[in-house]
Amino acid sequence: MLDEPPIFLVRMKTLSNSQLTIQVSSHGAELCSIRCNGKEYLWQADPAFWKRHSPVLFPIVGSVWENQYRHDGIPYTLTQHGFARDMDFTLTSESESELWYRLTDTEETRKKYPFPFCLEIGYRIEGNKIEVLWRVTNTGMQDMHFQIGAHPAFYYPDYDVDTTERGYFGFDVASGLRYILISEKGCADTSQDYPLELTDGLLPLDTHTFDKDALILENSQVKKVTLYDKEKKPYLTLHFQTPLVGLWSPPSKNAPFVCIEPWYGRCDRAHYAGEYKDKDWMQHLDPGCTFEGGYTIEVF
């Protein structure tokens, strides 16, 4: 007998104003739609390419080496991007322009991640902008270590499967940017970085841009990424204060979308065998303290 797939009670909420409409699912507190000017901007999760829209990554970003990490010498298993994106959140507040969701630790999460926590995710719309808001509270009696990040996928403007050009990325820095790559088993090679080759201040995007997987920009190099169409007209912008941002589209799939991913954290270095708290780009919270972060999506 085949295993039955899990059944989730998904509740979708809608926020609208005169310029845009968004939809958010209670499952993963995931943003599932952004409509503006009669267009859908957010990828609609065709599993032939990628089955998600805009998952929140918690309590890790990316992968830990061999899907295992150590806290106080005890090994724990945690798969890519953590568990929050696959859990049902509770809607805690709702207004005409704002939604808030909450997830707290359970017996099951503590088997994978031994920290008591409260994760709150909010969405606020104003004009042509969507604020995505994160609050992480340490509800335990010991120091808490975590990462959190975004993974929104946006349709390429004017996507044409039969052409190679996909548009451009622009940044708030016009030169000198460098990136690192994923090397093996979803983990990063931090021993070498590469120059991000811009043309007239823009990164041309084509079907080969992500042949080597995600481009990871570290050390707060940029605070803004704009996706331009093939005519170099701005299509959408992400604003953020995160120390890292990942740029990604599925390699070798000619996918119709690209991801702009602000992160407070990233995957392990390849072969990392140290303590969880000592991972690169780890966030730390004292008992009873709250971390606040997030980013803003602006559509044109």
Side-chain angles (χ1 to χ4, degrees):
M1 182 176 177
L2 294 175
D3 290 337
E4 292 295 328
I7 298 173
F8 302 108
L9 183 59
V10 175
R11 295 183 176 90
M12 199 73 70
K13 289 290 184 178
T14 301
L15 295 178
S16 293
N17 63 20
S18 61
Q19 297 189 52
L20 57 78
T21 297
I22 71 169
Q23 289 189 310
V24 181
S25 170
S26 60
H27 188 62
E30 184 176 5
L31 182 63
C32 293
S33 176
I34 302 172
R35 295 195 65 84
C36 182
N37 303 319
K39 294 186 295 185
E40 177 62 68
Y41 282 72
L42 201 64
W43 169 243
Q44 288 303 290
D46 179 351
F49 295 99
W50 190 56
K51 66 179 182 179
R52 302 179 190 269
H53 306 269
S54 180
V56 177
L57 318 179
F58 177 89
I60 58 170
V61 172
S63 298
V64 291
W65 182 249
E66 303 281 14
N67 288 334
Q68 190 174 89
Y69 70 92
R70 290 142 298 281
H71 173 61
D72 290 341
I74 300 171
Y76 294 86
T77 297
L78 198 54
T79 54
Q80 186 184 46
H81 296 320
F83 49 74
R85 62 181 184 168
D86 293 317
M87 297 187 70
D88 290 325
F89 282 62
T90 299
L91 180 67
T92 57
S93 70
E94 179 180 5
S95 70
E96 289 185 354
S97 61
E98 192 166 332
L99 297 167
W100 277 95
Y101 294 84
R102 178 183 297 151
L103 179 72
T104 56
D105 59 284
T106 66
E107 182 179 350
E108 286 303 309
T109 67
R110 289 190 293 273
K111 292 177 182 177
K112 307 172 187 177
Y113 178 70
F115 300 97
F117 69 86
C118 176
L119 169 60
E120 296 173 283
I121 299 174
Y123 297 92
R124 180 186 300 143
I125 62 171
E126 183 176 355
N128 64 333
K129 296 180 180 180
I130 305 120
E131 285 187 79
V132 184
L133 307 160
W134 300 326
R135 291 199 294 249
V136 181
T137 301
N138 179 357
T139 58
M141 302 300 291
Q142 306 294 326
D143 290 349
M144 175 183 169
H145 317 293
F146 72 97
Q147 298 176 335
I148 190 167
H151 202 320
F154 304 102
Y155 282 106
Y156 281 119
D158 306 319
Y159 171 78
D160 182 345
V161 69
D162 295 320
T163 65
T164 59
E165 295 78 17
R166 293 290 173 262
Y168 301 85
F169 273 148
F171 309 91
D172 54 336
V173 176
S175 63
L177 298 176
R178 303 190 70 84
Y179 66 92
I180 63 172
L181 291 169
I182 303 295
S183 61
E184 53 183 309
K185 298 182 179 180
C187 293
D189 178 4
T190 60
S191 67
Q192 185 173 5
D193 62 9
Y194 306 87
L196 196 66
E197 301 289 352
L198 305 184
T199 302
D200 297 327
L202 298 176
L203 175 67
L205 301 174
D206 60 34
T207 52
H208 296 291
T209 301
F210 303 101
D211 279 355
K212 295 182 179 180
D213 214 307
L215 312 181
I216 303 172
L217 282 69
E218 301 188 291
N219 299 308
S220 301
Q221 293 182 70
V222 299
K223 300 297 184 186
K224 183 172 78 170
V225 178
T226 298
L227 176 60
Y228 293 85
D229 66 16
K230 297 173 187 177
E231 305 302 319
K232 301 183 180 179
K233 179 181 177 182
Y235 181 70
L236 62 86
T237 296
L238 261 66
H239 307 264
F240 47 88
Q241 296 297 320
T242 59
L244 303 99
V245 63
L247 309 173
W248 178 78
S249 189
S252 306
K253 283 193 174 183
N254 196 6
F257 68 88
V258 66
C259 296
I260 306 170
E261 309 175 38
W263 298 335
Y264 292 93
R266 67 149 165 74
C267 61
D268 275 354
R269 286 170 276 146
H271 303 280
Y272 179 71
E275 280 277 306
Y276 181 67
K277 66 181 177 62
D278 298 323
K279 272 172 53 70
D280 297 338
W281 301 107
M282 184 59 73
Q283 309 299 312
H284 310 280
L285 269 179
D286 292 335
C289 290
T290 298
F291 163 95
E292 295 190 359
Y295 64 102
T296 298
I297 304 167
E298 181 178 14
V299 298
F300 302 107

